[in-house]
């Protein structure tokens, strides 16, 4: 059975990984945002020329599905590292944003 994962545990693993390689010096907010943007662009690249119908089925192809999972992981890793460096709780930030959006865009 897979061990339960949570955001804080993943952030600790990412921090330990970086520390073991002396990479913390490079994990400034500016660098992390730039890396996040690059990884998000690599995810976009997978979908760039697909039709809407093809994009819905992207996970049907094992090789493409693997690429999607890797890029999603890269995006999430840099986002979590950015949150750690800035002291942002990503789940609390998302929860607050959903609350604001629910007020901003009421049900029709």
């Amino acid at each position: 059975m897979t061990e339960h994962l949570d955001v804080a545990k993943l952030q600790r693993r990412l921090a330990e990984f970086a520390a073991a390689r002396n990479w913390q010096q490079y994990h400034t907010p500016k660098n992390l945002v730039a890396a996040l943007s690059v990884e998000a662009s690599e995810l976009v690249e997978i979908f760039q020329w697909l039709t809407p119908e093809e994009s819905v089925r992207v996970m049907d192809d094992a090789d493409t599905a693997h690429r999607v999972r890797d890029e999603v992981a890269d995006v999430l890793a840099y986002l979590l590292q950015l949150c750690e460096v800035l002291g942002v709780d990503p789940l609390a930030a998302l929860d607050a944003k959903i609350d604001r959006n629910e007020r901003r865009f009421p049900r029709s």
Side-chain angles (χ1 to χ4, degrees):
M1 184 168 145
T2 303
E3 180 182 342
H4 176 71
L5 298 176
D6 61 42
V7 171
K9 187 179 290 185
L10 293 171
Q11 285 176 308
R12 280 192 304 276
R13 285 188 66 196
L14 288 165
E16 289 167 3
F17 182 88
R21 290 151 183 84
N22 198 29
W23 290 352
Q24 313 95 311
Q25 62 187 321
Y26 306 112
H27 289 183
T28 64
K30 176 191 143 313
N31 288 349
L32 291 169
V33 167
L36 175 60
S37 176
V38 169
E39 296 302 338
S41 294
E42 290 178 4
L43 184 58
V44 169
E45 185 179 29
I46 296 168
F47 292 86
Q48 184 174 7
W49 302 114
L50 300 180
T51 66
E53 296 77 19
E54 290 169 334
S55 73
V56 171
R57 297 187 310 273
V58 74
M59 300 304 283
D60 293 346
D61 177 75
D63 289 336
T64 306
H66 177 74
R67 288 177 53 217
V68 168
R69 283 191 296 273
D70 275 357
E71 296 308 332
V72 165
D74 288 344
V75 168
L76 184 56
Y78 282 115
L79 181 59
L80 290 178
Q81 289 174 91
L82 177 66
C83 288
E84 180 73 17
V85 166
L86 296 177
V88 173
D89 178 335
L91 298 182
L94 177 56
D95 189 52
K97 181 64 175 184
I98 292 169
D99 287 345
R100 285 192 304 280
N101 284 343
E102 288 174 341
R103 288 189 301 276
R104 186 174 173 201
F105 305 104
R107 294 179 189 209
S108 36

